[in-house]
Amino acid sequence: MFRAVLATCSVLLAGTIGVYSLSGVSDRAYFSYVNRSGINTLDPAAITWNQDIRVALNLWEGLVSYGPDASEPVAGAAYLPEVSDDGLVYRFTIGPDARWSNGDPVTAADFVRGWRRAIEPGTAGDYAFFLTEHVVGAAEYYAWRNAAVGELASLEPGTQAWQTRFDRHATQRDQRFSRVGLQALDARLLQVRLVQPCPYFLDLCAFVTLLPVHESIERLRLDYQGSGLTRRGLVVYDPQWTKPDYHVNGYPGLITNGPYLLKEWRFKRRLRMTANPFFHDRERLGCSTVDMVVYGDLNTAIMAYEAGELDFLPDTSVSYDHELARLAISGERPDFHCAQVFATYYYLFNCADETVGGRRNPFVDVRVRQAFALAVDKELLAQRVSGRGETATDNVVPAGSIKGYASPAGLGHDPEAARRLLAEAGYPGGAGLGAIDLLYNTGSYHGKICDVLATMWGRELGAVVVPRGKEVKTFAEDRKGRRFMIARAGWYGDYADPTTFLDVFATGNGNNDSGHSDATFDALLRRASREHDADARMALLAQAEGRLIRETLPLVPLYRHTQVLAIKPYVRGLRPNPRLMFLFRYVAVDR
């Protein structure tokens, strides 16, 4: 079957390779891999997508980094920290050889700058909670800043009242930030004070949100009368600051401190990274140049890989990926790898909005959410529809993936109970539900899953489900804006703890696209955060997950992700791993 697929795609391959050359990217890098959708953002404070994380972790280096298999943090720009006996104070000493790509030394102030951007209105992204939930004073500063920005927005710009409030806020801002437990004690010593012990704090420090930012970014700060703020009270920078060839206001272009610097960024074509000549481990880099090549169609990318145009496919989510999985598992293609990853594939319900697109949203009623979850045959989806070796699940935290964590039972598959709940909610046999909007992103196997789910919900509940496919960027915008009733989703764990999955559904979390808000669930997460006994803490988190997957149901978990990767036999040092974190500093190519 795979050979037949290759044959039918040969015409596409010829066209693609032609475009690849004509676009000016025929000068192949030492190592090249594919990205299907280009880059959404390279701003560390704003990054959420896996493909963006992959690039950022090769351009920047955090206080700690990841090893070749991404299993646990290792020393990065700093040595492993000194930690106080009570687990509340971390002191990081930055290595003397840590350098930016222009030769400047990496300083503690660079990390303060990067971390502060993650909680400033105007630059903060979905992962602001990494700081607000853990670092002393960060939540208070974040709340104060947002309240002040809101107050300014309520006043008429230019009036005396507005100017007085603006000046007072601008004057107080740095003094307020000094209360945050983030302090550069000297050029190389950074101290972080935590609200409570956090067993996975080093894991957070390796993640993109807590990367440093070079001081040159300040040349692109949008400023109002020397205040360091815009007229709205926000901290905002020219969004082009992550481009390598952007030189407005004397800006030198993006400066990074990781193993690679950004040499070229051609929109939806190619991103080229070259070795950072000042990187502290420069002599051990196996690849001098790395290309991230954009192929919007993964079928074409696979053909290019087969033709030797690419060395690595981190994603092969195509309609025939079950056949690729079979080839990997059977050993027929040793360059294909079937990796079970630290991720859960699920569908979200819009829990918050009474109407969607002018129609009543039945999923504000938890009984409807429970009914739709109970009606799904997950084993069928995993084994016969997806067919890539996934494990069907009722859990959002991948079972067995975290040491010491016992997964709670979920609802399971019970169509009869589903029909009873739907009738109790006032929709017997699906009457009165109206058309159910099901949002998914096109260009992958997601449409196939949507069609099967729509059929299941129609057969078991009498629901009329209308799948609505959007390209990735528009899909992401619609999901973030809750312009859906049900939406395709999933989560890749960012660190080795259940909270990386559970926090997503906490009230107000930036990644909580379902609008889920449950006081009991939030309270269990808070209790767990204050619990020092490891076993008791895990029990509280399991209790929180149990409530999420049995009672409040903002999602229907389907299966634990399995991803098929393709790595050329001549590539060394690239290890499939559950986090899909790939640091190219460890890669060498023996063509």
Side-chain angles (χ1 to χ4, degrees), residues 353-403:
D353 299 300
E354 295 288 340
T355 61
V356 173
R359 302 197 307 273
R360 184 172 61 175
N361 173 25
F363 297 100
V364 294
D365 188 327
V366 67
R367 294 170 296 183
V368 177
R369 303 198 295 269
Q370 291 171 334
F372 272 66
L374 284 162
V376 176
D377 186 342
K378 300 170 185 180
E379 291 291 345
L380 184 149
L381 274 175
Q383 295 177 18
R384 294 173 54 188
V385 179
S386 178
R388 296 178 302 166
E390 285 95 351
T391 303
T393 187
D394 290 329
N395 297 94
V396 63
V397 180
S401 64
I402 298 171
K403 186 178 179 180

Side-chain angles (χ1 to χ4, degrees), residues 28-32 260 272-275 287-291:
R28 182 174 175 180
Y30 194 74
F31 174 77
S32 58
Y260 296 94
R272 170 159 289 186
M273 296 177 275
T274 60
C287 295
S288 56
T289 55
V290 176
D291 271 359

Side-chain angles (χ1 to χ4, degrees), residues 23 66 89 128 139 178 183 206 252 284 313 321 347 399 491 501 558 561:
S23 65
Y66 296 105
V89 180
S178 68
Q183 187 177 7
R284 296 177 63 184
L313 298 176
D321 55 4
Y347 275 65
W491 192 257
F501 291 91
L558 296 176
H561 262 302

Side-chain angles (χ1 to χ4, degrees), residues 5-23:
V5 171
L6 294 182
T8 58
C9 292
S10 59
V11 175
L12 284 175
L13 172 62
T16 299
I17 293 174
V19 171
Y20 186 70
S21 301
L22 290 172
S23 65

Side-chain angles (χ1 to χ4, degrees), residues 207-259:
F207 196 67
V208 288
T209 309
L210 302 189
L211 292 172
V213 174
H214 189 264
E215 64 181 356
S216 59
I217 193 177
E218 298 304 327
R219 300 184 188 181
L220 298 182
R221 185 195 283 263
L222 306 184
D223 190 60
Y224 174 72
Q225 296 184 347
S227 65
L229 304 173
T230 66
R231 287 175 63 91
R232 294 184 294 156
L234 300 174
V235 174
V236 176
Y237 297 87
D238 186 327
Q240 302 297 312
W241 76 272
T242 57
K243 299 293 178 66
D245 52 359
Y246 193 66
H247 304 300
V248 170
N249 242 18
Y251 183 64
L254 180 64
I255 295 174
T256 57
N257 73 318

Side-chain angles (χ1 to χ4, degrees), residues 541-573:
L541 292 175
Q543 191 178 341
E545 185 185 3
R547 181 166 178 83
L548 193 73
I549 61 176
R550 290 194 302 267
E551 299 178 57
T552 62
L553 265 293
L555 78 162
V556 51
L558 296 176
Y559 51 75
R560 181 174 177 181
H561 262 302
T562 295
Q563 192 141 317
V564 182
L565 319 174
I567 305 171
K568 287 292 187 182
Y570 50 72
V571 174
R572 292 186 290 109

